[in-house]
Amino acid sequence: MSILYPQNEMLESRERMVLNLYLVTSLVLFLVMMVLGLLMRLAQGAWMDMSPTLFYQVMTAHGAGMVGTAALASSAVMWFFLRKYVPLKTSIFLANYVLFMIGAVLLLVAIFIGKFAGAWTFLYPLPVQSLGVWSVGSAVLFMVGFLIIGVGFLLFYLDAMRGVIRVYGNLGRGLGLQWLFSGTVDPDHPKTVVASTMVIIVNSLGILGGAVVIVMSLINAYDPEIALNALFAKNLIYFFGHVFINITIYMAVIGVYELLPRYTGRRWGMSRPFLWAWAASTLMVMIVYPHHLLMDFAMPRWMAVTGQVISYTSGLPVFTVTAYGALTNIHRSRMRWRIPAMLLILSMFGWAAGIVPAIIDATISVNHVMHNTLWVPGHFHFYLLLGVLPMQFAFMYHLIGRDTDRSVSRSDRLGFWMYLSGGLAFVFMFLAGGHASVPRRWATHFPGWQVYDQVASLSAALVIVALSLFTVRICLGLMHTPSSAEPAPAGD
Amino acid sequence: MSFQDRIWLTTLVGIALVTLAFLHVIRQSGREEDPKTVQTRAYALRRWLFGGLIALGIVVTGASLWPFPIASQHGAPMAPQVVHVVGHQWAWQMDTTRVRAGIPVAFEVTSADVNHGFGIYDSTDRLLTQTQSMPGVTNRLVYTFEHPGKYRILCLEYCGLAHHAMIREIDVVDGTEEES
Amino acid sequence: MTAQMLVQIPLLLMAGILLVPVIPTRLRARAARWDQGGVSGLVLATLAMAFWMLPRSLDASTTDPLVALAKFLTVPLLIGLPLAFSWPRAGFIVRGVFLTEFVATFFRLGWLYRVSPIRLCNNYGLGDQQRLGNYMLWIGGGLLAWLALKLLAGNFKSLSPSSSPGAPG
Amino acid sequence: MMTTSDHMSAPTAVLRTVVLTVGLLLVGVAGLGVATDGFHAFTTETARRVAVHRNPPAVPATVPLVNQDGVHFTLADLQGKWVLVDFVYTRCMTICTVLGADFAQLERELAEPIAQDRIQLLSISFDLARDTPAELASYLTRFRGAGPGWQAAIPLTDDGLARLEDAFGITVIPDKMGGYTHNAAIHLVDPTGRLVDIFDLGQRDQVRAALQRELAS
């Protein structure tokens, strides 16, 4: 039996405090954002009265809040495991949290006091052209909030970059590029370092793109004479947005690489295909974004083709390396069925299955009838709700567990199955809505569409109950810090 | 069977295959076998899986991009009917809302303010095709209506407070009826 | 415009960099106490740069001799000097933030100059402005490519475990 | 395990740096704010407009001008009317053509108040070397304007032109092909002879709306 809680993962009290801040904040924010999501589905299903003004504010908050929170929780996973291999500064990890919270407050003020409802994508020029619904000032506040959050993540990535370079020499060696074509792959080169390096590279560039387009939008907000090229702004916004949300998966999957082998009791070794998969993903995550612009016919044809082809190929590493590797690791392993293990498998399933509707939608001819319908939230909720979040919950449940735990408690088991069934029903209602051509981001739905919204509301409620159970369990667990995570007596 | 139905079916089959793979592995997870044996077998199978997916990708890419599913954007529209569309917050401005069935229509779509989405829906509220409506850019959408009847334009890109109310009806008339 | 932004200002900046050894060591040591990790100096340089990137300021410096004088004084003293003074003491993270912002600024200005249908500076023609925009995009892209290559495949002696990291303690 | 000793070595230096940095940021951002009229004007052109809105300057009323019919006049002669002014040179085939088309369109749209002698359109040429009353007349004919509502004029002296350019914020740079690069806008002068607004090319609707608002009140 492998060790679930190795010595080198112990936390000092200061580190534990900061990590707990991340985890508790994430859980609470997830709950709040899910309630906002539920409210939207209730309004669309005509089970609740909500003015369009409020609906679109709620929609903006839900989008920005979920993307931000997913990134926050995922970076906690990355930090926790990466610090075993490279030196990371707790102060920078804390700085990221503080900047995130400042940014989050600005976003909330912009939305609920400034009435900003330009969606989390702040697609130029909507933020500054609301026909008087919200002021330019609140759009500015919103974008400044994003900028501050971006700076926080940039600090975190720079710290991680420094750490990887200190230990491995440069980012290429962290990524294992030297073994792509020849040489003996170091079987002990950590998957965590490979994934983290990819995240560092890709999201630093994503944040750079965001910083360019946000500052340009700010200049335009104040001096409208300086008009931007809307198509170019759209490219940058989707590059930034796509990278930023995708990266939440690549940070959280580190938890799967680290934890799954402990629960199966089997090594999950480093291999050349694994390195190839991550090197390819590094590139593909950056160039796949044109699949958001397939309905912008003015885009060059080669970019649309790139968007479609890369969307398909970027699924291959997930299917044939990560998900397949996980399944191989589990197969006939006499798995230790604890709640983290269950969540890890769920997360792999959510990611792999969620990719199916995503790839199909990225086909240009399909995009003609699916783009900006509920199909789109359908596919990304699939791998966020059933992929990324379970990865994060698995990590949190693992943290509060202990070696001596033998079985899954009744409430956890109940929570798991509620989450799984509620989540599945919820995303399938989105996909079914897409199949029925229901447009995305509509405050009110035609009566014929409302049945999907109503079933979705019920399923969302189920997910929220499940998440509440998780939240209570995890928060209590974090407070009663388990002995296994106490600082080693002779450590330091 | 509509295009949407075929997409739906393909997706369900894909998800079902993934689910079966997971269920199979989960069912076997209680047993124990030498990891080496499992790995050797799995890796052999993986080569087939990878090759199969690549082959599938090539076939699907070729079939779905040939002919290219987006009309040429350069030069004068090659369609006998041309409709100029301008998206406004929050209404569609069109130089005509009457087009003929059976004959290609080129919609030249742009926007006067923010991004909109120009989605054509049939009388059963099914999405037929769409393009983006953007300031400073004209996208050309060429579509041939098969049947006469009432169709609707719905906004498919979030554009502010009355996004969901940006609806305009168009009449598609019999192709032979209006020759004059 | 191209000459001013890509030749004159960089030369003035260089002049400031050369000034560092002229400053008495004692004064430098004192200033260093207010410049932990090079942060203050880089912030000062960034703000001064932001000012001289305003099309208005550039315009004014060609028409108003007083503003021109201000440019000749402040670019070396408030940008070049603090940059050269603080850079060696800046750690990896501070440098990273600065460089990210620096590259982003080239992209922003390049974009601005290229797409702006109006002339941002009244004293320069539209063609000149667009040419400058292209140069800036190329410079930004070049800087980014160089940084990426350095990070991916470069040598980082100062960061190796044997020597002390970033800011010396 | 990593300990965080990086900031412990010099706590006072850290404190000082934080104080100095925050101070610099406050001063710097305030300075940038002042330099851009509260982040509204990044360019000289916008700055000019902001200034005009805040404090409408009087235009030089005494600069002698000659129009397309050879008639001498000054801006003082136009007081009592709303005057729309643009700056052109007649050989210009780019921006001035757009301005000309805008003026022609405005002349038609505002025919009624023009007939009542409440609005005057005026194109001033800055090409003293080449433009003559005859050139001005053909410029107007090109746009089928030419009614009494739209006049074209040249300042008689270089000094007069300089005063006008300065007052209206016009920068003219000769290009290498014998033409000029210049900023193009539509300037609105009120009946008391003050420059009250500046509009961009393509803002014809806004010009018309502003005038109609003023005439109605």
Side-chain angles (χ1 to χ4, degrees):
Chain A
M1 281 280 156
S2 58
I3 301 162
L4 285 182
Y5 298 94
Q7 283 288 318
N8 61 355
E9 280 178 9
M10 303 279 167
L11 293 158
E12 291 169 20
S13 63
R14 182 154 170 269
E15 293 169 330
R16 188 203 314 284
M17 190 195 74
V18 180
L19 182 65
N20 286 359
L21 277 178
Y22 269 75
L23 301 185
V24 174
T25 308
S26 302
L27 286 169
V28 171
L29 283 176
F30 276 142
L31 259 182
V32 174
M33 294 304 151
M34 279 190 188
V35 170
L36 292 185
L38 170 62
L39 293 180
M40 285 194 282
R41 295 305 262 149
L42 284 171
Q44 288 172 330
W47 275 355
M48 197 184 83
D49 260 343
M50 195 197 284
S51 73
T53 330
L54 184 61
F55 179 91
Y56 292 124
Q57 282 169 241
V58 167
M59 181 186 85
T60 305
H62 175 82
M66 278 301 192
V67 172
T69 311
L72 190 76
S74 285
S75 56
V77 178
M78 172 171 151
W79 174 85
F80 182 82
F81 292 112
L82 184 62
R83 81 201 159 93
K84 287 192 298 178
Y85 310 105
V86 311
L88 295 179
K89 289 182 182 173
T90 313
S91 53
I92 295 289
F93 191 49
L94 179 63
N96 181 25
Y97 177 83
V98 171
L99 289 170
F100 182 89
M101 294 312 276
I102 295 173
V105 169
L106 292 189
L107 297 185
L108 287 175
V109 170
I111 295 168
F112 289 111
I113 297 175
K115 300 205 181 318
F116 178 78
W120 83 271
T121 47
F122 60 93
L123 196 55
Y124 174 85
L126 181 60
V128 291
Q129 284 195 27
S130 66
L131 287 197
V133 180
W134 62 83
S135 67
V136 170
S138 48
V140 166
L141 205 60
F142 185 84
M143 291 190 279
V144 169
F146 265 13
L147 215 49
I148 292 176
I149 291 175
V151 171
F153 278 101
L154 184 65
L155 290 178
F156 173 59
Y157 293 134
L158 284 170
D159 190 36
M161 202 186 283
R162 197 185 62 109
V164 170
I165 290 173
R166 274 192 75 183
V167 176
Y168 297 93
N170 56 40
L171 296 183
R173 302 187 77 80
L175 210 50
L177 296 182
Q178 70 274 28
W179 297 310
L180 280 189
F181 294 100
S182 60
T184 318
V185 178
D186 175 4
D188 292 325
H189 189 67
K191 288 188 164 64
T192 300
V193 170
V194 176
S196 302
T197 308
M198 178 268 204
V199 166
I200 292 165
I201 296 171
V202 173
N203 216 14
S204 300
L205 289 169
I207 290 172
L208 178 71
V212 170
V213 72
I214 288 176
V215 169
M216 292 295 282
S217 300
L218 288 175
I219 291 178
N220 165 266
Y222 276 115
D223 196 346
E225 217 180 300
I226 298 177
L228 309 181
N229 177 325
L231 189 57
F232 190 57
K234 206 184 213 177
N235 271 272
L236 270 178
I237 287 173
Y238 283 133
F239 170 73
F240 157 72
H242 180 87
V243 164
F244 199 84
I245 189 63
N246 255 253
I247 234 61
T248 62
I249 309 178
Y250 293 103
M251 291 195 282
V253 77
I254 291 171
V256 180
Y257 293 142
E258 287 278 351
L259 296 179
L260 192 61
R262 300 185 202 172
Y263 287 90
T264 59
R266 256 193 205 161
R267 252 182 79 79
W268 186 356
M270 174 58 69
S271 64
R272 212 186 302 277
F274 181 90
L275 294 174
W276 267 105
W278 279 85
S281 293
T282 308
L283 200 63
M284 289 192 292
V285 167
M286 289 190 286
I287 58 174
V288 74
Y289 82 90
H291 68 197
H292 293 276
L293 296 149
L294 297 177
M295 291 299 107
D296 286 283
F297 298 164
M299 290 285 286
R301 204 173 260 204
W302 63 267
M303 284 188 86
V305 173
T306 307
Q308 170 171 335
V309 172
I310 301 294
S311 292
Y312 184 85
T313 39
S314 64
L316 295 180
V318 180
F319 276 126
T320 60
V321 176
T322 299
Y324 196 87
L327 287 182
T328 310
N329 198 261
I330 297 163
H331 191 66
R332 297 189 180 166
S333 63
R334 199 179 291 186
M335 177 104 170
R336 289 196 245 185
W337 283 108
R338 313 264 175 83
I339 199 79
M342 293 162 72
L343 285 163
L344 288 172
I345 295 179
L346 169 60
S347 77
M348 282 287 104
F349 167 74
W351 193 10
I355 274 181
V356 175
I359 288 177
I360 290 177
D361 181 41
T363 313
I364 299 172
S365 48
V366 172
N367 208 245
H368 275 288
V369 296
M370 286 304 182
H371 182 61
N372 280 352
T373 65
L374 287 186
W375 192 269
V376 180
H379 89 70
F380 69 69
H381 277 86
F382 211 129
Y383 55 70
L384 290 172
L385 187 63
L386 296 172
V388 177
L389 263 62
M391 290 177 195
Q392 298 164 348
F393 298 151
F395 166 67
M396 298 181 203
Y397 262 110
H398 171 80
L399 277 185
I400 63 165
R402 43 196 94 199
D403 266 326
T404 49
D405 286 349
R406 284 269 167 258
S407 59
V408 182
S409 80
R410 194 177 294 248
S411 71
D412 286 342
R413 190 181 295 276
L414 182 70
F416 176 85
W417 288 107
M418 279 167 68
Y419 190 87
L420 172 59
S421 51
L424 270 177
F426 181 74
V427 296
F428 269 101
M429 282 309 107
F430 267 141
L431 291 173
H435 169 238
S437 299
V438 184
R440 179 187 185 189
R441 293 177 168 152
W442 271 37
T444 53
H445 280 175
F446 297 156
W449 297 336
Q450 285 167 356
V451 59
Y452 305 116
D453 311 329
Q454 291 160 353
V455 178
S457 301
L458 294 174
S459 349
L462 205 58
V463 173
I464 290 172
V465 174
L467 179 61
S468 311
L469 278 176
F470 291 168
T471 305
V472 171
R473 273 281 285 149
I474 293 169
C475 290
L476 286 177
L478 289 175
M479 264 186 263
H480 303 107
T481 44
S483 54
S484 55
E486 288 297 335
D492 270 21
Chain B
M1 199 179 191
S2 73
F3 188 30
Q4 273 93 338
D5 292 338
R6 280 185 283 145
I7 296 167
W8 189 218
L9 202 66
T10 317
T11 307
L12 291 181
V13 169
I15 292 176
L17 287 177
V18 174
T19 312
L20 285 177
F22 271 82
L23 287 180
H24 168 72
V25 170
I26 291 166
R27 273 173 54 103
Q28 304 272 323
S29 66
R31 293 168 56 184
E32 196 163 12
E33 197 177 353
D34 177 45
K36 274 259 157 47
T37 329
V38 172
Q39 239 178 36
T40 319
R41 203 161 2 120
Y43 286 175
L45 189 63
R46 172 157 79 180
R47 251 170 256 141
W48 285 101
L49 177 69
F50 188 73
L53 285 173
I54 293 272
L56 177 71
I58 292 171
V59 171
V60 168
T61 304
S64 65
L65 290 179
W66 191 266
F68 197 66
I70 297 172
S72 166
Q73 301 293 306
H74 305 290
M78 298 290 282
Q81 312 179 78
V82 179
V83 180
H84 292 94
V85 183
V86 185
H88 292 266
Q89 282 169 317
W90 291 285
W92 293 107
Q93 178 198 331
M94 299 168 73
D95 53 6
T96 175
T97 53
R98 216 175 152 77
V99 294
R100 281 175 286 150
I103 302 163
V105 191
F107 292 96
E108 303 269 321
V109 185
T110 185
S111 161
D113 36 54
V114 301
N115 288 274
H116 304 280
F118 178 82
I120 304 177
Y121 278 71
D122 69 8
S123 55
T124 64
D125 291 332
R126 192 163 57 92
L127 178 57
L128 300 175
T129 187
Q130 64 173 312
T131 188
Q132 288 274 302
S133 150
M134 280 195 79
V137 174
T138 301
N139 290 316
R140 174 182 300 153
L141 173 68
V142 178
Y143 186 74
T144 309
F145 292 91
E146 281 173 28
H147 310 289
K150 297 265 182 219
Y151 291 75
R152 285 201 285 184
I153 308 300
L154 269 56
C155 185
L156 287 185
E157 186 67 70
Y158 176 62
C159 59
L161 184 60
H163 165 53
H164 55 281
M166 240 179 106
I167 299 173
R168 178 138 193 205
E169 205 162 85
I170 52 177
D171 284 320
V172 176
V173 297
D174 198 309
T176 51
E177 187 182 285
E178 291 246 323
E179 301 289 351
S180 60
Chain C
M1 190 173 191
T2 307
Q4 173 163 210
M5 282 209 78
L6 295 184
V7 180
Q8 188 193 46
I9 290 186
L11 280 178
L12 287 171
L13 202 144
M14 224 72 97
I17 293 176
L18 295 176
L19 277 178
V20 176
V22 182
I23 311 268
T25 325
R26 257 195 47 210
L27 201 63
R28 268 188 278 165
R30 278 187 97 165
R33 277 189 263 154
W34 290 81
D35 192 32
Q36 179 79 10
V39 174
S40 327
L42 293 180
V43 166
L44 174 63
T46 306
L47 288 167
M49 265 193 265
F51 179 82
W52 286 116
M53 275 182 300
L54 291 176
R56 268 184 88 169
S57 320
L58 283 180
D59 245 354
S61 75
T62 59
T63 50
D64 189 338
L66 267 180
V67 181
L69 182 69
K71 184 172 76 182
F72 283 107
L73 287 177
T74 54
V75 173
L77 292 180
L78 296 185
I79 304 179
L81 184 64
L83 212 55
F85 176 71
S86 298
W87 188 260
R89 274 175 302 106
F92 187 88
I93 294 174
V94 173
R95 286 183 185 186
V97 171
F98 182 85
L99 284 173
T100 308
E101 186 54 28
F102 194 65
V103 170
T105 302
F106 272 100
F107 285 135
R108 290 172 193 143
L109 285 179
W111 182 7
L112 191 68
Y113 290 156
R114 254 181 67 88
V115 303
S116 176
I118 49 154
R119 286 174 311 122
L120 299 167
C121 290
N122 284 344
N123 287 300
Y124 298 103
L126 199 57
D128 197 12
Q129 174 177 309
Q130 285 172 348
R131 195 164 52 242
L132 176 61
N134 284 336
Y135 290 156
M136 294 214 138
L137 290 182
W138 280 111
I139 294 174
L143 268 174
L144 187 61
W146 176 74
L147 281 173
L149 202 68
K150 165 105 180 155
L151 289 169
L152 267 180
N155 243 327
F156 291 85
K157 290 217 178 58
S158 61
L159 279 181
S160 64
S162 50
S163 74
S164 73
Chain D
M1 200 145 299
M2 188 65 190
T3 56
T4 52
S5 62
D6 48 301
H7 282 187
M8 298 315 197
S9 51
T12 48
V14 170
L15 192 64
R16 282 182 187 146
T17 304
V18 169
V19 169
L20 180 58
T21 303
V22 170
L24 281 171
L25 278 172
L26 289 178
V27 173
V29 170
L32 284 172
V34 172
T36 53
D37 291 312
F39 298 105
H40 283 295
F42 297 94
T43 65
T44 315
E45 189 69 19
T46 323
R48 171 94 201 125
R49 286 168 203 207
V50 171
V52 162
H53 280 289
R54 281 189 193 152
N55 194 7
V59 297
T62 57
V63 171
L65 300 160
V66 58
N67 77 359
Q68 73 279 5
D69 302 322
V71 178
H72 290 238
F73 72 107
T74 66
L75 287 179
D77 299 330
L78 300 178
Q79 281 185 11
K81 295 194 238 187
W82 288 89
V83 188
L84 290 175
V85 183
D86 68 359
F87 284 82
V88 297
Y89 67 107
T90 62
R91 287 173 301 119
C92 174
M93 284 299 156
T94 53
I95 277 184
C96 310
T97 319
V98 184
L99 279 173
D102 268 359
F103 261 38
Q105 188 74 24
L106 281 168
E107 194 188 11
R108 281 193 287 280
E109 289 169 355
L110 298 166
E112 198 181 325
I114 287 177
Q116 298 164 353
D117 223 11
R118 299 169 71 190
I119 292 180
Q120 176 71 55
L121 276 60
L122 177 63
S123 295
I124 299 179
S125 164
F126 46 75
D127 191 359
L128 295 197
R130 295 220 180 80
D131 279 344
T132 61
E135 302 277 356
L136 296 181
S138 74
Y139 173 78
L140 289 179
T141 332
R142 231 165 78 206
F143 294 102
R144 277 173 257 132
W150 181 9
Q151 294 193 29
I154 336 169
L156 287 179
T157 62
D158 283 334
D159 170 60
L161 174 64
R163 279 168 62 203
L164 285 172
E165 283 181 355
D166 190 44
F168 283 93
I170 299 295
T171 311
V172 178
I173 321 157
D175 63 25
K176 285 163 192 112
M177 285 90 72
Y180 299 92
T181 301
H182 61 109
N183 45 343
I186 298 175
H187 307 259
L188 180 62
V189 178
D190 76 357
T192 64
R194 293 180 317 153
L195 174 59
V196 289
D197 216 335
I198 303 176
F199 299 92
D200 266 330
L201 283 177
Q203 287 193 320
R204 207 180 59 236
D205 291 344
Q206 284 91 319
V207 175
R208 200 183 56 239
L211 271 171
Q212 282 164 346
R213 201 168 48 239
E214 294 292 354
L215 291 175
S217 64

